[in-house]
Amino acid sequence: MPYDETSWSYPEAEGLYDPTMERDACGVGFIVHIDGKTTHQVLLDAQELSRRMTHRGACSADNDTGDGAGALIGVPHKFYKEKVKEESGVDLPELGQYGTGIIFMDKETTTQSREQFSSMAQTVGL
């Protein structure tokens, strides 16, 4: 059923919930398989959740840049292990024994940032 933002309304008061206490503010949404099952449907559901948050929409006030909204997903271990080996020559340990992330850096401080990150990683034994 397509989402129609004009048909949405607050639910009725129930238990500790009181719709009169609602305020205009951003929230968060969570879409998960409680048993840890990995499926593409979770990502599709998260995309729909973001689309339904019309006051956010993962778009900044200029309607051109992002606002930081996103999805935290698991990286497919087999695919990632192959790519890291192919592109960096690094053998990853088994699933759950490593961490990964993305760091956004500006052009002016990339070298300094990489050096700082490497130094901090060595300090904690990484």
Side-chain angles (χ1 to χ4, degrees):
M1 166 170 153
Y3 174 64
D4 175 10
E5 66 185 63
T6 62
S7 68
W8 189 88
S9 63
Y10 291 114
E12 297 292 321
E14 180 180 348
L16 296 175
Y17 175 72
D18 179 356
T20 64
M21 300 301 290
E22 290 288 346
R23 301 291 181 266
D24 191 13
C26 289
V28 294
F30 294 93
I31 304 290
V32 300
H33 273 289
I34 196 76
D35 60 1
K37 180 180 173 186
T38 57
T39 69
H40 186 67
Q41 188 61 46
V42 171
L43 189 56
L44 294 175
D45 291 345
Q47 182 180 23
E48 180 66 11
L49 181 145
S50 181
R51 189 182 72 77
R52 289 186 178 197
M53 294 178 74
T54 56
H55 66 287
R56 269 185 80 107
C59 194
S60 190
D62 63 7
N63 287 328
D64 192 32
T65 56
D67 74 344
L72 176 63
I73 61 169
V75 176
H77 174 68
K78 182 178 179 216
F79 172 78
Y80 196 55
K81 185 171 184 154
E82 289 170 4
K83 281 296 188 184
V84 169
K85 177 66 173 177
E86 175 186 314
E87 294 178 11
S88 302
V90 174
D91 288 311
L92 289 179
E94 292 308 307
L95 180 63
Q97 300 301 310
Y98 64 92
T100 188
I102 299 173
I103 301 173
F104 297 95
M105 296 184 267
D106 61 57
K107 292 178 183 178
E108 292 79 32
T109 61
T110 298
T111 302
Q112 179 186 358
S113 296
R114 285 182 184 207
E115 289 170 359
Q116 266 186 319
F117 183 84
S118 294
S119 175
M120 289 180 351
Q122 288 175 357
T123 300
V124 296
L126 299 176

